[in-house]
Amino acid sequence: MKITFIVPAIGKKPGKKYIGTWKMEPLTIAMLKALTPPDVETELFDDRIELINYETSTDLVCITVETYTAKRSYKIAQKFRERGIPVVMGGYHVTLCPEEAAEHCDSVMIGNAETVWKTMLEDFGRGKIKPVYQGNTAEYDIQPDKSIFTGKKYLPVSLVETGRGCIHSCDFCSICRFYESHYHARSHELIIDDLKRSKHDIAFLVDDNLVADHNNAIRLFEEITPLKKKWAGQGTLSMARNEKLLKAMKKSGCEVILIGFESLNPENLRQMNKSFNLAMGERDELVKRVHDAGLGIYATFVFGYDNDDERTVEEALEFAKKHKFYTAAFNHLLPFPNTPLYKRLREDNRLIYDKWWLADGYNYGELAFNPKKISAEKLSKLCRDARKEFSSARTVMSRGFASLGRTSPLLWGLFWAMNLRLGEEVDQKMNVPIGENLDELPK
């Protein structure tokens, strides 16, 4: 038996290379490779960095689908199915929209694959593959097999999973919908072994809220410390209240932590069901505690809630510049399917596209709904302008010198490379066509 794994691209402008910072290792594929028996031949086509060979000799195609890549995934699947090759689809989007995905493949995998992958392969081997496989969302006690990445040119950062899910219920988030607001910590033994296997000196700890359980996180950081790795991850500003946690993070090698501020407006935070941000005290003091601990902050903001206008975007930009964040993202709100946000906007008749991820003419960087206090086009431009300003040479220089006082000298080069690349990519990312057929375009 031979399985062909495919990672679809979001889209690409004609004649342009794919966005550099979007070329991370597809960790999901490495997990599936590890679950696959050794006597099964495997291959990987990553649509982001290479052409897909639609004439490859294979028995089964497996496509991992995100909402941004759904349209492209369905087009890829169609080409293989026209040859009579069955297609299995899984991923967050398939779990959120299983009926939609089922129209474009032979079998859908809902939830995590670890508990059902082997069963699916056995069924396929008998010629009796089922249309639906329901996986458990919590079990993932295996190590990824990254040998399938051999020869692929990804960013020089190792992805190491530490947990899945999140305890919060933000109304825009598809992750909390997928895991029903539960957090599932991974075994420390597996994490440490995974880090030891990593071929890069820098790791990104894949976890939507690495500090969801402070005690678990501290124990993990204490175990990571002897490895002398440098790493980044995702957390929440609430961690700044725990001095022991911050010290353990820094000592273990943490250089940058991504924090979702989302909004500085209290009413917006309440609307997005992130009012726990309001209970954390004064933001400036908490940010100072994180910086004083020697940790850089990758700050993220999202705009499009009912109290957003031109001023709220400007305030977020000024807040980010004042604190000289390591880097920052100024994003417009995106209604992911089957989230409370999506349902509310549809009920209010504010969606520009009912299914933006499948709509002809929808491009990356555009809003898929009408905000209340500002036009969709204006908000898209404001987000773009905030990114450009924060990535300007003057601002990067100011933030760079502040970063030098917090991060390891080994990471100084990374700061300049990362921020200069993000600045270059601001306009590259605007109006990327979602799901367009890219097969003949140069990579």
Side-chain angles (χ1 to χ4, degrees):
M1 185 191 303
K2 179 180 176 182
I3 299 175
T4 298
F5 295 111
I6 294 178
V7 177
I10 290 175
K12 199 183 291 109
K13 292 180 181 178
K16 300 293 184 179
K17 291 183 178 181
Y18 202 68
I19 306 300
T21 52
W22 287 352
K23 295 178 181 178
M24 300 289 280
E25 297 174 346
L27 189 56
T28 298
I29 302 301
M31 297 295 280
L32 295 175
K33 169 65 175 176
L35 291 167
T36 303
D39 61 339
V40 175
E41 184 181 354
T42 59
E43 66 179 350
L44 166 62
F45 292 116
D46 192 326
D47 195 30
R48 303 171 298 171
I49 62 175
E50 61 193 339
L51 295 174
I52 297 172
N53 179 6
Y54 291 102
E55 300 304 317
T56 186
S57 177
T58 191
D59 299 299
L60 179 67
V61 169
C62 174
I63 303 177
T64 179
V65 187
E66 299 176 359
T67 302
Y68 265 126
T69 65
K71 186 177 180 182
R72 176 71 176 142
S73 298
Y74 300 157
K75 290 183 177 182
I76 293 170
Q78 180 180 353
K79 290 193 175 186
F80 282 102
R81 296 180 85 198
E82 287 173 351
R83 289 180 53 204
I85 299 173
V87 175
V88 175
M89 288 184 173
Y92 287 120
H93 186 77
V94 172
T95 295
L96 295 175
C97 301
E99 294 179 357
E100 173 193 294
E103 296 177 5
H104 303 276
C105 64
D106 299 274
S107 180
V108 295
M109 195 161 287
I110 300 172
N112 292 336
E114 283 84 352
T115 56
V116 292
W117 183 255
K118 182 179 178 181
T119 300
M120 185 276 293
L121 291 181
E122 291 174 347
D123 290 348
F124 177 73
R126 295 194 298 266
K128 296 181 179 180
I129 192 170
K130 297 176 183 176
V132 179
Y133 290 89
Q134 178 69 59
N136 186 302
T137 59
E139 296 185 26
Y140 54 112
D141 56 349
I142 63 165
Q143 289 290 30
D145 183 352
K146 296 184 180 181
S147 65
I148 198 166
F149 299 156
T150 301
K152 310 290 186 187
K153 294 183 179 180
Y154 296 118
L155 291 176
V157 178
S158 294
L159 302 189
V160 176
E161 192 171 34
T162 59
R164 294 179 183 176
C166 181
I167 59 175
H168 299 299
S169 301
C170 303
D171 84 328
F172 59 83
C173 182
S174 59
I175 302 300
C176 67
R177 175 77 174 78
F178 185 96
Y179 289 103
E180 298 180 338
S181 298
H182 286 82
Y183 176 75
H184 306 280
R186 190 183 184 203
S187 157
H188 290 191
E189 181 180 358
L190 289 174
I191 295 169
I192 299 303
D193 181 58
D194 206 345
L195 280 166
K196 288 179 178 178
R197 294 166 178 251
S198 300
K199 68 177 183 178
H200 302 296
D201 294 329
I202 303 173
F204 185 86
L205 303 188
V206 180
D207 196 318
D208 289 286
N209 188 357
L210 181 60
V211 295
D213 181 333
H214 285 197
N215 291 330
N216 174 69
I218 290 172
R219 290 194 301 272
L220 173 61
F221 301 150
E222 290 173 345
E223 294 178 49
I224 291 176
T225 300
L227 303 182
K228 299 187 182 304
K229 290 277 188 178
K230 297 299 182 184
W231 61 270
Q234 294 179 228
T236 62
L237 195 57
S238 62
M239 68 186 187
R241 292 190 175 279
N242 190 329
E243 185 178 357
K244 182 179 179 181
L245 176 65
L246 294 179
K247 288 182 177 179
M249 289 175 69
K250 182 62 179 180
K251 187 177 180 180
S252 69
C254 181
E255 294 291 335
V256 180
I257 191 76
L258 187 152
I259 295 177
F261 290 86
E262 317 310 2
S263 178
L264 305 181
N265 183 289
E267 292 305 315
N268 282 343
L269 290 172
R270 290 190 182 95
Q271 188 178 30
M272 69 179 70
N273 200 28
K274 201 164 184 174
S275 56
F276 57 87
N277 268 14
L278 298 173
M280 294 188 302
E282 214 280 310
R283 289 188 191 90
D284 290 329
E285 173 59 28
L286 296 178
V287 168
K288 183 177 183 299
R289 291 183 190 182
V290 176
H291 281 163
D292 287 348
L295 304 173
I297 294 177
Y298 183 163
T300 64
F301 302 91
V302 62
F303 306 100
Y305 275 92
D306 290 354
N307 288 283
D308 279 325
D309 54 21
E310 294 187 32
R311 181 59 189 159
T312 54
V313 179
E314 182 180 343
E315 288 172 347
L317 175 60
E318 291 305 312
F319 177 78
K321 291 167 69 174
K322 178 180 74 172
H323 286 293
K324 302 183 188 301
F325 289 134
Y326 191 92
T327 192
F330 303 89
N331 299 322
H332 65 75
L333 189 60
L334 198 61
F336 284 95
N338 287 329
T339 58
L341 170 67
Y342 181 87
K343 295 174 182 177
R344 175 166 54 83
L345 291 174
R346 184 172 58 185
E347 290 172 358
D348 292 347
N349 198 31
R350 290 169 58 191
L351 291 175
I352 298 173
Y353 306 95
D354 183 46
K355 293 185 177 182
W356 56 266
W357 56 92
L358 299 180
D360 290 335
Y362 177 76
N363 297 320
Y364 188 92
E366 295 179 0
L367 271 75
F369 71 101
N370 290 307
K372 278 197 171 181
K373 293 186 175 182
I374 190 171
S375 72
E377 294 79 8
K378 180 65 174 177
L379 183 55
S380 175
K381 183 178 184 302
L382 287 173
C383 290
R384 177 263 180 200
D385 291 347
R387 296 186 200 108
K388 291 290 285 187
E389 172 61 23
F390 198 70
S391 299
S392 67
R394 179 185 67 257
T395 306
V396 170
M397 188 69 67
S398 174
R399 292 190 288 113
F401 284 117
S403 176
L404 298 186
R406 303 182 192 120
T407 57
S408 164
L410 298 174
L411 274 293
W412 291 353
L414 178 64
F415 171 86
W416 301 112
M418 178 179 180
N419 278 278
L420 292 175
R421 170 172 269 190
L422 287 172
E424 293 173 355
E425 291 180 354
V426 170
D427 287 327
Q428 292 177 26
K429 292 178 180 178
M430 294 297 293
N431 300 316
V432 171
I434 298 293
E436 295 304 310
N437 192 317
L438 313 174
D439 299 310
E440 302 306 320
L441 298 179
K443 297 297 178 181

